[in-house]
Structure formats: C-alpha cells, structure tokens
Amino acid sequence: MGSYYNFKKVQVVPKAMDFIDIVLSKIQRKTPTVVHPNYQISRIRQFYMKKVKFGQDAFDEKLDQILSDFPKLDEIHPFYADLMNVLYDRDHYKLALGQISTCKHLIDSVAKDYARLLKFGDSLFRCKQLKKAALGRMCTIMKRQKDSLAYLEQVRQHLARLPSIDPNTRTLLVCGYPNVGKSSFMNKLTRAEVEVQPYAFTTKSLFVGHMDYRNLRWQVIDTPGILDHPLEQRNTIEMQSITALAHLRAAVLFFIDLSEQCGYTVAAQCNLFESIKPLFANKPTVLVVNKIDSMRINQLNETDRARFDALIADGDVTVCEMSTYTEEGVMETKKAACDKLLSSRVEMKLRGTKINDVLQKLHLAQPLARDEKDRPTSIPENALSRPKYDKLDPNRRKLEVDLEVEAGGAGVYNVDLKKLYQLKESEWKYDKIPEIMDGKNVADFFDEDIEARLEELEREEERLEREGFYDDEEIEMDDSDEEALKLAAKEVEKKRDLLMRESRMKKSKNRAILPQKFKKRTAAEMTAAFAQRGIDIGDRARSLTRKRSRSESRGPGADEGEGKSLAREQSLAAKRHKGVSQSRDRSTMGMKNEKQQSDSQKVLHFAQRPMNMNAKASESDRKILTKMPKHLFSGKRGSGSASHR
C-alpha cells in the first residue's frame, strides 16, 4: 500500500457457515453432476477428483482474498500500525490472520491427500465416499475458524469507518486537554462538522478536515482530549492522540484554556504540555491560547504567568492568541502554523541526501559579458515617477477592472481594443477599414513599398528571359519499344478484365450448372443437328412433339397446324361467354352482420383455450408427448438428497 490508505475496499468476511454454503454451492454449480456406475473407473475417478480439486480452489480463493485485503502491520505506515494496535490489539489481529493462513494450508493438504487416494478408488461408491470425506474435512476445518472470521469482520467494519489520513502530507495536528476548543477550531478552518458539547471527551476518535492555503491542500486532524497521567494508564481514546503525535509529520497546535472553563487549571495544562513535549521533537509547535474573550495572557496572576513563561522560554514554541467564539485571531493562528510547517519541511528537505541528487540535475546559466561596455538597467522616467497603485486611493489610475465595474460588470462591459492603437492621427482609431475599395483589395495596399517591389520583380523576370532561363523545354519522349510494351500491357489488362466479367456473370446465375452433354435440347436443335449430318426427319420430328389426333371432327390439315376442330372452337366460344363463380368465406356464411361474426370468433377462441393449454393442435389431436423429458428431469437436484449417486 502507498502512503494513502483506503480500508473501505476490504471485502466482507462471511461467517463460517455462510463460508461453507458459498463454497459448496459453487462446487454444485460449476462442476459436472451426472455419473453412472457403468462408466469407466478412470472417468469416475476424474469426476470426483474434479470436485475435490474445485473445492480446494474455491476455499483458497476466498481465504487468499481475506489475507490480501487486510493490511499487514509490518508493511504499512507506523502510524496505522500503532493505531491498529491501539484499537484492535496487534497480537489478536496477527493471530486471527495467522489462523486463516494455517486453515488454507490444512485445506490444501487435505485435498492433496484425498486426491492421491481417489487415484486408487475401485468403484463409484468408494470414490464417492472419499469425495464426501474430503469435503467434510474441509468444512470441519472452516468451522473451527468461526471466532477468527467473526473478529476479522468486526475489524473490517471498524476499519471502513476510520478517516482517510495521509501521513506524509501537510498536516495540522490539534491536541490538548478536553473541552479547550479543539473541535470548534477545526470547524472554523474546515468543512468538517465535529460535534461540540460542553462536557469532556465529546471527541472519542480522530477526525480529519481539509482546507486550502497558498494554493496547497492541507489536512487538519482533531484528536481526542489527553489527561495528565502516565502512559500505561491512558485509555484507548487518549492513545489515539498519542499515536498521531508520535508518528505524523505535522505542525502541533497545543491548546490551552487560561480561563479554566474546561475544568482543568493552568498548572495542570502546563504539566501536560511538558509531559508530552518529547513527542513534539522535530515538529513545529504552536501554543494556542484559546478563549481570550474570557482571559488573556496579561490577565494571569503571577504564579500562572511564571508557569506559562517557562513553557515558551526555549524559544521553539510560537504563541498565538485567539477565540473561536468571537473568531478573533483564528486566521492569524492558521497562517502562523502553516508558514512554520512549510519552512520546517523545506529545511528538512535541504538537510536530506536527496537535495544533492536534485542539485546535480540543475544548471544555472549565467550570461557572459561580450565586451567591456557598461550597460546599466534602463527604466523609463514615466515608470519611475508613476505612483504605486493603491486600491484605496480615490485618485489612483483606473484599470480595466475598475472600468468594468463602472460600466455594469461582467457581461455588460465590452473591452475597447482600439484605444491603444498608435496611428499618425488619433481620430483614425475608430475609422472603419473597407476590405474592397474601387474594385481592389485594400490588403494589397497596406505595404507602402509594394510598387517598388513589383518593379524589382518585373526586372528580375526580364533578366531571366534574356539569359534564356525559360528556353530549355523538357521534351519527354518515350522509346518506341516502351510504347509498344505499354500498349500490349493495356490490351492484356483489357482482355483479363473482360474474362473476369464473363466469369462473374456465369457464376451469378442462380441455377445448377450442368455439363453440356446433360443439358436438354429442343426439337429444333435436334432437327438442325441431324440436317448437318444429311438426315431429313422433318415429319417424324413433328410427330414426336405432339400426339397424333384420332378425332373425325378435326378438319383436314389439323395435324399440320392448318386449322382447329369445330367442336373445339364451339367449346372455346362457350367458355368465353360463361361467367366465373366467386368464392365465398365459409366461416361467415349464415351471419347477419359483423357483430355476429365477432361474437362467433370470441366463442371459437374460448373453446380453443383448453386445447392450447394441453398443447393440442385441435380436438382431433391425440398425440401423446414425452411424459418426463430427459433434459428437465435429470442432472441437478433441488431440495432433498442425491445419495443414490
């Protein structure tokens, strides 16, 4: 983990029985569930061995997740290590994680032993009993971790409620006796809403707030109150403050209530400061005198004043007076503490070894004098004589911001960009410049020397023409062989393109491609083929194409297509004059109107419902489907036992 910790990502630790249910359910869902005695023994062994191995992997996955999510006390920042020791007891925490790790190794050894035994299983019953024993021993091992899992779940819930404290960032640490105004000061500086009450130990844990100063992000930590007694007698609430003071690189703000409204005397508060002063070593310390609206330093009696002066005699402590009630001196205290911490962090970095590595990468370039001539700094007289800008001076020069305020503010005021134009005549500033004038582009005449440059360009062109610069024309002539080769390539390309198109046209026809010898030939094609061989089959071919008529009603030449039979002509004439009958919907016959039709349709639908429920096509459907489909009534079991497997 880095310097910034997020303990909210630790996943929930299930109870022992829930843990077992999760794993066994996963084994049932993710592994095969059907095995028969008539399978080969190698297949049966593999079936049950897969269940044991999968159970081992499922337990290992969950236990590894627990071991990796919880922070290791030897690898995290000492502040968090000591804080967890205070809150959860280091030994109990390590023992719980150690038991989880031992549980994981025991499950691995059980799975390994039973996988070895399953290799020698000689029947389905023996393999099943070995699998049952393996999973049972794994579950027994997990049941023994009931207390450890419950403890780790409580630790996880408390870790998720801890504030996210960055031990290495800029931090102001507020400490002191209970009820001296620490939480009120925290609420004034940050948006944190720490509870403030008139009794002691209102704050029972560390609270974190954030603020900005000099464009930097600052962290303010409110600690619980500390009492003046030996370290071994301090409770868990006080030890949180001691842990923060011991490990965080921060500016310490020790609060003192001179009015003694907190319930503790000035002498007792001074004694507390001296007793925990070793924790302030190498940390910028600010002694904050709070509640000055009731008592100031100069109002102390001689005894308390002498005791107070003894605290700041060494000169390392900065004294600030303020009142969170009237907000007098709050911002000054914040500024003094932040500036002191910044200077302390810079000095610490300069004393470190990394500064040399940084300085070796930096190079300060200094210009060298090019001659002995003295070139002093030149500042215009107007700049030197200009008075310093003062916002409170009524005769100050007006800036664009002032003009904006006078003109109505942002969104109303429009900046005048032309007032600073430097032209020959000041009244030209706001003249509109046309783009086209007298048919010419005005931009072409912005250059005053354009005529001279144009004449110079024309003279250069005349000189190049006289020198024959443009006389050498490049004549590109291809060789005759090269031209012939190009023409041949074009013909080949054209022929290739034509063949490709023909091939695509043949393939695009949506029909079966038959060999030429199996294609059907017409009578005319066959007659032409025989005629090429000198065989005349004209009459015979016509007799093959249609049947020979035996009717006496056909006129002469009817077979040759010269006329039609009289009966046939009369039949066709009668058919032309005969009306065509119109088909009618039998379902609507006998209905008077559309209402009767819709009512009959509803009755039909209601009558069809029972058949639809039984998956019958109609009343005459007598088909009997499978009573118990195999895919629905085999495989996984619901509630009950499957001991026959």
Side-chain angles (χ1 to χ4, degrees):
M1 294 184 179
S3 62
Y4 187 79
Y5 302 93
N6 186 6
F7 296 127
K8 295 179 177 62
K9 292 183 179 179
V10 181
Q11 293 187 3
V12 177
V13 180
K15 297 178 182 178
M17 295 307 299
D18 295 342
F19 204 112
I20 294 171
D21 292 342
I22 291 169
V23 173
L24 293 182
S25 175
K26 190 174 183 181
I27 294 173
Q28 181 70 5
R29 287 184 289 109
K30 298 287 187 179
T31 58
T33 55
V34 177
V35 66
H36 295 293
N38 56 355
Y39 286 173
Q40 291 184 357
I41 189 63
S42 60
R43 184 175 176 184
I44 295 173
R45 291 170 185 165
Q46 191 68 28
F47 174 85
Y48 287 108
M49 200 178 299
K50 184 180 293 185
K51 287 186 176 293
V52 174
K53 288 290 186 183
F54 190 86
Q56 175 198 358
D57 294 340
F59 277 112
D60 285 354
E61 181 184 356
K62 299 289 289 183
L63 295 176
D64 282 334
Q65 184 70 34
I66 294 173
L67 293 174
S68 61
D69 281 352
F70 279 89
K72 296 178 176 58
L73 298 182
D74 298 333
E75 297 179 2
I76 61 177
H77 194 275
F79 164 69
Y80 276 109
D82 279 2
L83 185 62
M84 293 181 68
N85 181 29
V86 169
L87 296 173
Y88 318 122
D89 187 6
R90 176 194 297 266
D91 297 334
H92 195 178
Y93 178 78
K94 282 191 170 184
L95 185 62
L97 289 179
Q99 288 178 345
I100 297 298
S101 179
T102 304
C103 171
K104 175 177 174 293
H105 293 306
L106 288 175
I107 288 176
D108 291 344
S109 63
V110 168
K112 184 178 178 181
D113 295 341
Y114 278 90
R116 188 185 298 114
L117 293 174
L118 276 167
K119 291 180 181 178
F120 302 100
D122 55 358
S123 65
L124 184 144
F125 176 76
R126 194 179 298 273
C127 292
K128 179 184 176 183
Q129 293 302 107
L130 288 172
K131 182 265 298 184
K132 195 173 181 180
L135 295 181
R137 287 190 61 184
M138 293 180 189
C139 295
T140 303
I141 294 171
M142 281 306 306
K143 287 179 183 177
R144 293 174 183 165
Q145 310 305 319
K146 176 180 65 174
D147 296 335
S148 297
L149 293 174
Y151 168 75
L152 289 176
E153 173 59 17
Q154 291 180 358
V155 171
R156 183 200 68 82
Q157 293 177 3
H158 198 277
L159 278 175
R161 292 192 293 267
L162 282 181
S164 298
I165 299 174
D166 189 354
N168 299 322
T169 192
R170 296 163 293 275
T171 306
L172 300 182
L173 192 61
V174 183
C175 63
Y177 257 98
N179 213 25
V180 294
K182 302 186 298 297
S183 300
S184 300
F185 177 73
M186 172 95 164
N187 293 339
K188 295 293 182 184
L189 292 188
T190 67
R191 291 185 177 180
E193 296 179 356
V194 185
E195 185 181 3
V196 177
Q197 295 294 340
Y199 50 83
F201 288 106
T202 307
T203 305
K204 295 182 176 59
S205 61
L206 300 176
F207 283 88
V208 181
H210 295 85
M211 67 176 187
D212 291 332
Y213 178 71
R214 289 192 177 182
N215 296 325
L216 297 173
R217 198 69 171 162
W218 293 73
Q219 184 176 255
V220 184
I221 300 178
D222 181 20
T223 62
I226 309 173
L227 299 179
D228 185 20
H229 47 228
L231 183 65
E232 58 272 9
Q233 296 180 9
R234 290 194 167 102
N235 57 20
T236 303
I237 297 175
E238 296 175 272
M239 286 304 298
Q240 296 182 53
S241 302
I242 299 299
T243 303
L245 287 170
H247 294 290
L248 293 179
R249 297 166 52 189
V252 179
L253 281 73
F254 187 86
F255 274 61
I256 287 184
D257 179 12
L258 299 181
S259 65
E260 300 181 357
Q261 295 177 358
C262 60
Y264 303 96
T265 63
V266 176
Q269 298 179 56
C270 294
N271 291 335
L272 174 63
F273 181 84
E274 290 179 348
S275 65
I276 65 174
K277 191 173 182 180
L279 299 175
F280 302 162
N282 300 323
K283 295 185 179 74
T285 307
V286 180
L287 187 60
V288 181
V289 179
N290 195 17
K291 303 183 183 179
I292 60 173
D293 54 324
S294 300
M295 176 74 75
R296 294 182 178 268
I297 298 175
N298 52 17
Q299 297 175 353
L300 290 172
N301 55 43
E302 294 181 359
T303 305
D304 292 341
R305 182 59 186 267
R307 195 77 177 84
F308 181 83
D309 292 340
L311 297 180
I312 58 176
D314 54 0
D316 294 337
V317 181
T318 303
V319 180
C320 294
E321 293 183 284
M322 72 168 198
S323 172
T324 54
Y325 181 72
T326 61
E327 298 187 5
E328 179 185 354
V330 173
M331 292 297 110
E332 289 76 5
T333 303
K334 164 191 167 184
K335 184 176 182 300
C338 293
D339 292 341
K340 194 168 184 178
L341 179 60
L342 285 177
S343 61
S344 173
R345 288 169 67 93
V346 172
E347 290 176 3
M348 189 177 298
K349 290 179 180 178
L350 290 175
R351 289 197 303 266
T353 57
K354 292 184 179 180
I355 188 65
N356 297 326
D357 299 336
V358 176
L359 291 176
Q360 289 176 1
K361 298 178 183 179
L362 299 178
H363 173 68
L364 179 60
Q366 295 182 351
L368 299 176
R370 61 185 178 184
D371 51 27
E372 297 179 356
K373 186 177 180 181
D374 187 20
R375 295 180 175 85
T377 304
S378 177
I379 302 176
E381 293 292 336
N382 293 336
L384 292 174
S385 61
R386 178 182 295 176
K388 186 177 180 180
Y389 180 80
D390 185 7
K391 190 175 182 181
L392 302 178
D393 185 9
N395 299 324
R396 68 182 187 279
R397 66 180 185 278
K398 290 188 177 182
L399 303 180
E400 287 292 334
V401 178
D402 301 327
L403 296 176
E404 180 182 355
V405 173
E406 293 177 359
V412 179
Y413 175 71
N414 193 12
V415 182
D416 187 5
L417 301 177
K418 296 183 178 181
K419 65 182 179 181
L420 299 178
Y421 282 3
Q422 297 179 358
L423 303 176
K424 290 182 179 179
E425 300 292 339
S426 59
E427 59 268 13
W428 293 353
K429 291 181 181 179
Y430 300 98
D431 290 348
K432 293 185 178 180
I433 303 176
E435 295 182 2
I436 304 296
M437 186 174 181
D438 298 334
K440 298 180 180 180
N441 193 348
V442 176
D444 294 340
F445 299 93
F446 283 169
D447 192 351
E448 298 179 354
D449 302 332
I450 189 170
E451 295 291 341
R453 292 185 181 183
L454 183 59
E455 291 178 2
E456 182 181 356
L457 183 62
E458 290 177 351
R459 287 196 299 269
E460 184 179 359
E461 288 293 322
E462 292 175 358
R463 179 178 60 79
L464 292 176
E465 288 180 358
R466 288 196 303 270
E467 293 176 356
F469 181 77
Y470 299 112
D471 293 342
D472 298 334
E473 296 182 359
E474 296 183 3
I475 302 176
E476 297 181 359
M477 293 292 291
D478 290 338
D479 194 14
S480 58
D481 295 340
E482 187 177 356
E483 288 185 358
L485 185 62
K486 287 183 178 181
L487 291 175
K490 287 182 180 180
E491 291 295 330
V492 170
E493 188 69 25
K494 189 183 297 182
K495 183 68 175 176
R496 178 171 165 273
D497 189 23
L498 187 61
L499 291 175
M500 288 177 64
R501 289 183 181 179
E502 290 180 356
S503 177
R504 289 196 190 107
M505 290 294 292
K506 290 178 180 179
K507 290 180 180 179
S508 64
K509 292 180 179 179
N510 189 13
R511 61 181 178 80
I513 300 176
L514 297 176
Q516 188 71 21
K517 61 182 179 179
F518 293 117
K519 290 183 178 180
K520 187 177 180 181
R521 294 184 179 181
T522 62
E525 291 177 351
M526 191 171 66
T527 303
F530 277 106
Q532 289 180 358
R533 292 172 173 77
I535 303 173
D536 185 13
I537 59 168
D539 296 338
R540 180 62 180 162
R542 280 193 297 273
S543 66
L544 292 175
T545 57
R546 66 168 181 247
K547 294 181 179 180
R548 184 166 48 185
S549 174
R550 297 182 182 274
S551 174
E552 296 179 359
S553 62
R554 293 174 65 93
D559 289 340
E560 292 76 18
E562 295 175 0
K564 293 183 179 179
S565 65
L566 181 61
R568 180 64 175 166
E569 289 182 359
Q570 292 175 354
S571 174
L572 291 175
K575 191 174 182 179
R576 282 194 296 268
H577 295 290
K578 186 178 180 180
V580 180
S581 62
Q582 185 177 2
S583 62
R584 296 183 61 187
D585 187 4
R586 297 174 62 87
S587 63
T588 60
M589 295 178 65
M591 305 293 179
K592 294 182 179 180
N593 48 34
E594 293 182 358
K595 186 178 182 304
Q596 288 187 354
Q597 295 181 15
S598 62
D599 293 342
S600 65
Q601 284 294 116
K602 289 180 182 179
V603 172
L604 176 63
H605 289 164
F606 278 111
Q608 191 71 22
R609 276 188 181 180
M611 291 180 284
N612 291 342
M613 296 293 291
N614 296 324
K616 300 292 184 181
S618 62
E619 294 178 355
S620 61
D621 189 358
R622 296 292 185 268
K623 184 177 180 181
I624 300 176
L625 301 175
T626 307
K627 296 289 186 182
M628 297 175 65
K630 180 74 173 175
H631 68 283
L632 293 179
F633 292 91
S634 65
K636 297 178 172 51
R637 289 291 185 269
S639 60
S641 65
S643 58
H644 63 277
R645 296 187 182 183

